[in-house]
Amino acid sequence: MSMDAIYDAITADAGSDEIAALPLPDTMRAAVVRRSDEAMFDGLDSRDKDPRKSLHIDQVPIPPLGPNEVLMAPMASAINFNTVWTSIFEPVSTFRFLEKFARDGELGARHDLDYHIVGSDASGVVLRTGPGVTQWKPGDRVTVHCNYVDMEAHQGHEDSMLDPNQKIWGFESNFGSLAEVSMVRANQLMPKPEHLSWEEAASLGLVLATSYRMLVGENEARMKQGDIVLIWGATGGLGGFATQLVLNGGGIPVCVVSSPDKVKLLEEVGVEHIIDRKAEGYQFWTEDGQPDYAEYRRFGKQIRELVGEDPDIVFEHPGKATFGASVFVAKRGGTIVTCASTSGYMHEYDNRYLWMNLKNILGSHFANYNEAWAANKLVAQGMIHPILSKTYTLEETGEAAYQVHHNLHTGKIGILVGATEEGLGVKNEPLRTKHLDEIDKWKHML
Ligand code: NDP
């Protein structure tokens, strides 16, 4: 038995009872890394670790369903950098996360397998609901956010990102979105923005909600109208949505990218202040590994020349390569908000510039359900648009991850899972027509 009947029913917009009555196959196609491959890249440089060699499309069992859980059929997914980390087994093999999960008990133990199904973004359709699920039913068209938390611990009840057992679905849990059937918690589901196609709706969740928490939500930098926001990697996943959020929220983005093509893309979407870091030749570290203050000053001067003052907020994620400069250029009393360390996680910055100028460094990580929901609502309202440069098939997941690993992409790369082609799944045509110019402007940042 295959997924064909289920996909036919989804395409025909079948009702809840009909979808619930359709039998699920025993096995499914899924993009996995294998435990037996864990050491395959030992001794290689990060850049030479090739996701095309470690990501396989295997036939694996449909995941088991537990309390408050949902089986859903991803129609589309997207590549996030966490899938790159999993596929190159850095900074640790994600099988360690699955082993840790297994120590929580029998429900966690289901995740500790010899394969890890990756993927942390999806749009699709609910197929089955487990005991205790009351808000969702088979047939519901959904997007999925990746905050996987059962809310049992008291620490998470003001902000679920503070729950000590919080995990990122498809990275720290198994049964991610790059599979014909995925297992999620009911509190990861959100209504699909119906003016978007499956792949558009699947492309936003993780990076948009992360950027939303960092810049807009109550928990981190809390951007105000008129704030100057320095955005690294402004045509990447996080940076592309940070740019949209700043433009929408009345802030002034100063966008950093690394090629004339990317500068052009940003100009086309209305960004005024752009720095091409490659063309400028910024190197914030000297060859003997010391911070280069002359470069910090040159960078700060360029920002002042562009916008007349120092940034209120620096949107950080490249990490080691840029963090010292980010702390240096933030304005007196300003905020550096960070969620990652793509170029290395041992950061160095000159603390004199932090304390003497009363700056703040905020650590941020994904988003709680409310924040993810608020970000999804902005999409459904047509206020934030997907930035989807390309889609691949499930079989091409390795190549798609390779593109992200080598920074060959812009915006997001989508993966068609159940969807047979791009453009399917749109239900609200009037809303799409209303926003078509903006959707087209942001979608094709390539
Ligand atoms: P992308 O690869 O889409 O974009 C990252 C961008 O960063 C690149 O396009 C590049 O832009 C820029 N960049 C990379 N290296 C450097 C460098 N040395 N100096 C300056 N800029 C650099 O990735 P994402 O935006 O999806 O994710 C970025 C990071 O954030 C990843 O490490 C990811 O794992 C992490 N992340 C963390 C989350 C969390 O919840 N904690 C959530 C989402 C992502 P350009 O070359 O144009 O300058």
Side-chain angles (χ1 to χ4, degrees), residues 201-378:
S203 67
L204 305 124
L206 189 150
V207 283
L208 171 60
T210 304
S211 301
Y212 182 93
R213 179 179 172 107
M214 289 171 79
L215 290 175
V216 183
E218 290 295 303
N219 287 303
E220 309 294 348
R222 303 170 69 166
M223 182 191 74
K224 301 183 302 303
Q225 292 183 31
D227 275 356
I228 292 161
V229 185
L230 178 71
I231 301 170
W232 291 103
T235 60
L238 289 174
F241 288 104
T243 302
Q244 283 198 59
L245 289 167
V246 173
L247 288 171
N248 273 3
I252 300 159
V254 179
C255 291
V256 187
V257 286
S258 65
S259 73
D261 287 350
K262 292 181 177 179
V263 170
K264 195 158 164 284
L265 291 170
L266 288 167
E267 285 170 348
E268 281 168 10
V269 294
V271 175
E272 215 178 314
H273 310 296
I274 308 165
I275 296 174
D276 180 341
R277 65 182 172 96
K278 275 232 172 91
E280 297 291 338
Y282 284 119
Q283 282 295 343
F284 300 117
W285 292 87
T286 62
E287 281 187 3
D288 56 352
Q290 298 303 311
D292 191 332
Y293 288 92
E295 283 292 87
Y296 286 4
R297 279 191 288 275
R298 183 164 76 94
F299 185 52
K301 185 160 173 270
Q302 187 178 10
I303 297 167
R304 282 184 190 172
E305 280 167 3
L306 286 171
V307 282
E309 52 184 287
D310 298 329
D312 298 274
I313 300 171
V314 181
F315 184 85
E316 242 298 332
H317 52 90
K320 184 179 165 88
T322 56
F323 200 82
S326 293
V327 172
F328 184 86
V329 301
K331 85 188 264 191
R332 191 176 173 87
T335 297
I336 303 96
V337 57
T338 176
C339 72
S341 295
T342 313
S343 64
Y345 50 80
M346 293 304 286
H347 299 183
E348 239 179 77
Y349 63 88
D350 187 330
N351 202 31
R352 291 171 299 174
Y353 293 97
L354 188 88
W355 98 70
M356 292 295 289
N357 296 294
L358 302 105
K359 304 182 188 186
N360 308 289
I361 295 173
L362 299 178
S364 191
H365 187 40
F366 187 58
N368 62 38
Y369 197 5
N370 265 333
E371 289 161 334
W373 191 283
N376 190 60
K377 189 169 147 194
L378 290 177

